[in-house]
Amino acid sequence: MQKNERSKIKTITLGCRFNFYESEISRAIIDNLNTNDDIVIINTCSVTHEAERQSKQAVRKAIRENKNSKIIVTGCAAKTSKDYFESLDGVFKVIQNNDKENINAYLNIPQPNSNIDLIEDITAAQNQIFEDRARAFIQIQNGCDHFCSYCIVPFTRGRSHSLPLENILKRVGFFLENGFSELVLSGIDITSYGKDLDYRIELADVIEAILKNYPNQKRLRISSIDPKGISEKLLELLKYEKRIMPHFHLSIQSGDNQVLKAMKRRHTREDIIAFCKQIKLTRNDVVFGADFIAGFPTETDSMFQNTLSLIDEAELSLMHIFPFSSRKETLASKMVQLPQPVISERARLLREKACEAKLKLFESMKGKKIRGIIEKTIDNVSYGKTDSFLPFVIKKAYNSSEIVNVLEIISYNENYLITKKNDN
Ligand code: SF4
């Protein structure tokens, strides 16, 4: 949870990167309303039971601590617990996710004289989010049409919708003008980009348009990718376009085909292995990341072993592990649930495996020379990410967003590659 107090608007944000991004959007909109009121925005999360409980707690606390402010509740729990929040004394307004960029949703906030040029201000607001200037996120797609059996997102963020290309290019231009070295194209289900627009366009076209319009843009990243959504055109770009950084985070969730079927995922373990092998043929410095859910209903021990073994077979190195959390709106909540100790133990084993895989990669990189971007410097020690998104540290002061072309990997610890500058 993060608090942010500037002017008379306070934001309290829970959950994913999208929420942090969108909290600043809400702030920019209210900033422009020039209201005299003190406003508190709580951007909630409901991806798990625990996240929803913390969101409710945060709203009750905000009401207690900000008696003279107007309390606005938004985010995913604003959908799944709408009635609850609307019943709370002290809540001024509940705004749904799809209305976060919609000025009208905020309009009954008293505003003596407001002048709105939204796109400009939204983009300007984003400029304030990414303090470290190393990378800026451009959310080009939101919502999802897939309804995987465990996922609450389609219920809370609605159907897939895409940001028109000209808005994307405008935001790219803005961030490059403001000194960002890296841009991350992000979306809830980014490979569905364009399917809702009334002209033929896909993610690969957006990438090509950015690289064509901004030839000096050398560092483009893509947030989490649905393996089954990768078109032939996108695959060619990922394989050969060097301005796309060699790190791909895949939304895999399980390494067992039966579990993937029960999750209503559209890929198989064989698809993952084939994709990773193909990319490795042309980009041997590529690093793969992945999301996994531990303890999905119906998962047996041998099915779980298939998930553990996929990590080796596909050479995955940077994993996010989520213990299964039943969400009542989803199909999976109606399945026979595994005992919680089994879920926790499998999550522990997967995290252990993930750590092993990362350190195995770190070991294989000792002595190699790599390039990286600086994110922050503290007491003359700089921290950053390599092109393949591996965390590194170097005992030298650099500016944030500076690109260091030759770093030699001399050692590593549990968290970082330890490097030194090597211009030889
Ligand atoms: S594709 Fe992702 S966001 Fe969409 S339903 Fe599945 S898990 Fe949720």
Side-chain angles (χ1 to χ4, degrees), residues 215-238:
N216 296 332
Q217 167 47 24
K218 301 262 183 283
R219 305 177 65 86
L220 199 58
R221 292 188 186 277
I222 302 168
S223 69
S224 188
I225 304 175
D226 177 348
K228 208 62 188 179
I230 300 171
S231 68
E232 274 311 309
K233 191 174 181 182
L234 180 60
L235 182 61
E236 288 304 297
L237 278 173
L238 301 183

Side-chain angles (χ1 to χ4, degrees), residues 144 146-148 150-151 153-154 188-189 226 251 253 265-266:
C144 185
H146 292 303
F147 293 89
C148 298
Y150 54 84
C151 184
V153 173
I188 294 284
D189 181 36
D226 177 348
S251 175
Q253 311 306 352
R265 297 292 295 173
R266 291 146 304 281

Side-chain angles (χ1 to χ4, degrees), residues 214-331:
Y214 299 98
N216 296 332
Q217 167 47 24
K218 301 262 183 283
R219 305 177 65 86
L220 199 58
R221 292 188 186 277
I222 302 168
S223 69
S224 188
I225 304 175
D226 177 348
K228 208 62 188 179
I230 300 171
S231 68
E232 274 311 309
K233 191 174 181 182
L234 180 60
L235 182 61
E236 288 304 297
L237 278 173
L238 301 183
K239 284 168 70 173
Y240 298 108
E241 177 51 68
K242 295 287 182 242
R243 289 179 287 166
I244 298 176
M245 294 293 103
H247 165 248
F248 303 122
H249 189 84
L250 305 173
S251 175
I252 299 179
Q253 311 306 352
S254 173
D256 180 84
N257 289 343
Q258 274 181 275
V259 174
L260 287 168
K261 208 152 175 246
M263 287 176 163
K264 291 198 175 310
R265 297 292 295 173
R266 291 146 304 281
H267 61 269
T268 63
R269 74 190 319 275
E270 290 74 21
D271 291 332
I272 302 298
I273 296 167
F275 170 76
C276 295
K277 278 207 165 63
Q278 269 196 8
I279 297 286
K280 274 244 180 225
L281 288 175
T282 54
R283 308 194 73 172
N284 58 12
D285 58 345
V286 70
V287 167
F288 298 109
D291 294 332
F292 283 107
I293 292 175
F296 183 81
T298 73
E299 182 188 64
T300 63
D301 274 344
S302 65
M303 293 172 183
F304 177 62
Q305 290 308 320
N306 287 336
T307 296
L308 289 175
S309 64
L310 179 69
I311 292 173
D312 297 325
E313 290 167 63
E315 296 181 55
L316 308 172
S317 307
L318 299 176
M319 262 74 68
H320 299 158
I321 310 300
F322 304 93
F324 175 75
S325 170
S326 176
R327 308 302 298 136
K328 70 176 184 312
E329 297 82 355
T330 65
L331 280 177

